[in-house]
Amino acid sequence: MTKNKIFGTWPFYKRALSIALPVMAQQFIQTLVSLIDNFMVSGLGDIKMSGVNVAGQIFFIFFVLITTLCSSGGIFMSQFKGAGDRNGMQQVFRFKIIVAGTCGILFTVLCFLAPRKLFYLMVTKNIDAEAILDQTQMYSRAVSLSFLFAVFSQSIASSLREIAIVRPPLVISVLATLVNTFFNWILIYGHLGAPRLEVAGAGYATVIARAFELLMFLVYVILKRPEFIFNPLKLFFVNLKLFGKILIKSLMILYSELFWALSETVSNALYNTRGGADVVSGMAAGFAVANLIFISMGGIMTSTGVVMGTELGAGNLNECKKYKAWILSGSTVFGACFTLLGFLATLLIPVVFGNLSSQARRYAFYLLITASVYLPLWGFLNAQYAISRAGGDTKMGVVCDTVGNVLFLLGMFLLTFFTGLGPVVMYAIVKLSDIPKSVIAHFWLKKEKWLVNLTKEE
């Protein structure tokens, strides 16, 4: 055992990084798809980029929902892997397919209908609202089918990562990104004899890329037969007790994640009241680049879940106590490294978003600087959440997010209606609400409610 209780050994961090880095690379590629979309659509001007962004703010809630459902199952998937329980892994995969698939069908229908009143909530009082909404509806209808493909790809990809198979999802994401970029180039601007479809072209390109991605995942699992794969004819052969247990855990995490997603969506709507299309497009551009550094959080969450979940499932509880401190300290340093990368990423803004107005680019620049400063705190906080969830303790997230998000929303409304502050300053202030969340999580983790082998739990 190492004498330093705060930082772990190199073999431990090497193990964690062997999971985190491929996951981050995959998320980087997926984020790059969004950045490429933004880059290509930004060439059409502030209004059309704003239209795609408004749709994306609604889509964001859906992706949080699907990611949460898959990660909730992942709590059990990693532990069943550690226990060597193949049937348990198959039951978890059934849960993902059934629940996430149902959500995917419903959301696909919603996006195809593209209700204008729903999207209008994001641009209330924006002076360019009607012109933006025309583009939003066009994009939503074009991209709608991609969500059905995405839920099944996400179910497979997350399951592979949870049993430490991380390279195939990375390779498939790279290929899907190339497909998306190629068809963006063709369909947005009308190259190679194709019609110029602009924002609708971006949506159709995403559908093609998602369909390709799902096809590649299906080919992989058919050929390699990972342990969680079952006979499709036995999809509904579910263990109701386990299904219910996963669902209960999912609902707890869903509360936390959807409350957070709702808070972010409301805040975006409030930012949009601060001006016209330059605010919407500028903040969208800033977040598009910031997402390239936010991949660090996904790496922390996944690697922590896999490492801690596998050890808990194998019954190595004493090792997990030691790993907790190592993960928390390592995640903070990891976040600090990405702060520096965030500062460097500001150099991308004038290159990628040169077609946006100068004011929009200024919003993007200062938003990226602000978000980067918070990364050490967010690295620590995400590690706290991942440790708690690895052992099935989902109550901590409910308490932390209730306190933090109430403070966040209260601050947003006060700043919106009682000050004239710009959107980036508002963002910087309200994100201080993550500090009390981390303090609560610190004392909660000390109770060791997360130190549970779920495969043996009755």
Side-chain angles (χ1 to χ4, degrees), residues 275-345:
D278 58 337
V279 172
V280 181
S281 60
M283 296 295 281
F287 281 121
V289 179
N291 285 336
L292 293 175
I293 57 174
F294 291 164
I295 60 171
S296 55
M297 302 300 108
I300 289 170
M301 292 291 288
T302 302
S303 61
T304 299
V306 172
V307 171
M308 297 295 272
T310 301
E311 296 299 328
L312 288 169
N316 300 324
L317 303 188
N318 288 328
E319 290 295 302
C320 289
K321 292 181 181 180
K322 178 174 61 176
Y323 291 166
K324 170 194 159 186
W326 293 2
I327 287 172
L328 291 173
S329 57
S331 297
T332 306
V333 173
F334 201 56
C337 292
F338 272 81
T339 294
L340 300 178
L341 291 177
F343 292 160
L344 291 175

